[in-house]
Amino acid sequence: MSEKEDNVIFGTEDILRSLCNSVTKVLNIATQGNIRYSGMVQRITKTCLKPDIGCFVLFDGGFSGLVVINFSAQAAMELYESYLLNMGMAKSDLASSYTSDEVANVMGELMNQIVGDFTGKVARELQTHISQNQPKMLALNKQVMLSVDTNLDKPEARRVTFYTGRNNIFYLELAIDRTEFIKLNDFEQHEAADPDELLAQVNAASATPTVAPTVSASEQEEFLKSLGM
């Protein structure tokens, strides 16, 4: 076998698969659910925040990109309730509407854990580093086109459909610079975090996790203006 054939190439779809596996890993541990994703991926031209809850995270470093997750109200409430019930909270203490600040806080915390798990895998598997900003959560009644991915030199965008245990749907969108990682030399990967340890960290979080505050009405209006809405 030639040296070229020995080289392992890690491209956009591989990065997307790694991210999708972080979504299912974190959400399944946090909610004790059965989150799964479609075996088919869509090529898209633009990333969008969509109703009912849109969440996005920017990352930069070894490669730059944007992760968006759009939750339906039903999917958000299912994940929110399962997460807090799994932490031992009483159902009577939970918020009843997806527009509640508490729901947005919890979904933001889960998003933060997902991207944190993903950046850890990037360090182990691709031998590079990416950093992330705090997740931004918005309860939306209309679609918002995000233009931040226009800052990428050669953007590639993908959308993947996810299903919860109750078959509620949410969508993950990824926009990154077109890139390939080529394995030149063998290296030893550091051990990934133990799932039981991750679960312990999840359960150690308070019932109202400390994440970036939800966007107020005035802040949301300014944010939408900055996006040209």
Side-chain angles (χ1 to χ4, degrees):
M1 184 176 291
S2 68
E3 181 180 350
K4 183 177 181 180
E5 291 173 326
D6 280 335
N7 289 339
V8 176
I9 299 177
F10 203 88
T12 300
E13 269 65 45
D14 300 294
I15 293 173
L16 177 63
R17 183 183 301 109
S18 180
L19 177 59
C20 289
N21 289 338
S22 288
V23 172
T24 56
K25 171 187 174 183
V26 170
L27 292 184
N28 282 332
I29 290 174
T31 68
Q32 294 295 289
N34 182 29
I35 312 300
R36 61 199 187 280
Y37 61 91
S38 170
M40 300 295 289
V41 58
Q42 294 174 266
R43 292 179 184 269
I44 57 178
T45 57
K46 287 289 182 180
T47 51
C48 301
L49 287 172
K50 297 179 179 178
D52 295 304
I53 291 183
C55 181
F56 72 93
V57 173
L58 294 163
F59 55 84
D60 200 6
F63 56 91
S64 299
L66 165 73
V67 178
V68 174
I69 301 185
N70 291 308
F71 297 96
S72 65
Q74 295 82 4
M77 290 304 293
E78 177 183 344
L79 295 172
Y80 159 78
E81 290 177 357
S82 298
Y83 175 58
L84 294 189
L85 291 174
N86 190 46
M87 289 172 60
M89 287 191 64
K91 189 172 179 62
S92 59
D93 293 332
L94 303 184
S96 58
S97 172
Y98 77 92
T99 58
S100 166
D101 287 350
E102 184 181 347
V103 174
N105 283 340
V106 167
M107 300 311 294
E109 169 62 18
L110 291 173
M111 181 75 164
N112 200 37
Q113 292 178 28
I114 288 167
V115 182
D117 183 82
F118 172 64
T119 58
K121 286 195 292 186
V122 166
R124 293 191 306 272
E125 298 173 2
L126 301 183
Q127 297 285 284
T128 190
H129 172 77
I130 57 174
S131 58
Q132 68 181 81
N133 70 341
Q134 279 284 9
K136 302 294 188 297
M137 302 290 304
L138 292 170
L140 300 164
N141 56 16
K142 62 180 177 179
Q143 177 173 300
V144 177
M145 190 75 70
L146 288 183
S147 60
V148 286
D149 57 347
T150 59
N151 296 326
L152 304 177
D153 293 329
K154 295 181 179 179
E156 290 190 327
R158 304 285 188 269
R159 179 188 293 127
V160 180
T161 305
F162 282 76
Y163 303 89
T164 69
R166 300 176 197 163
N167 287 320
N168 290 312
I169 295 176
F170 62 95
Y171 299 94
L172 178 143
E173 296 182 3
L174 170 69
I176 61 170
D177 268 326
R178 183 176 182 180
T179 186
E180 287 184 344
F181 286 84
I182 302 170
K183 186 176 182 180
L184 296 179
N185 301 304
D186 289 332
F187 55 84
E188 183 177 350
Q189 292 186 20
H190 298 295
E191 289 296 322
D194 183 80
D196 291 332
E197 182 179 339
L198 179 61
L199 179 58
Q201 293 173 359
V202 169
N203 288 333
S206 66
T208 54
T210 54
V211 297
T214 52
V215 182
S216 68
S218 60
E219 290 172 330
Q220 179 165 330
E221 183 177 349
E222 287 300 317
F223 174 72
L224 295 178
K225 284 181 180 179
S226 72
L227 295 176
M229 300 300 296

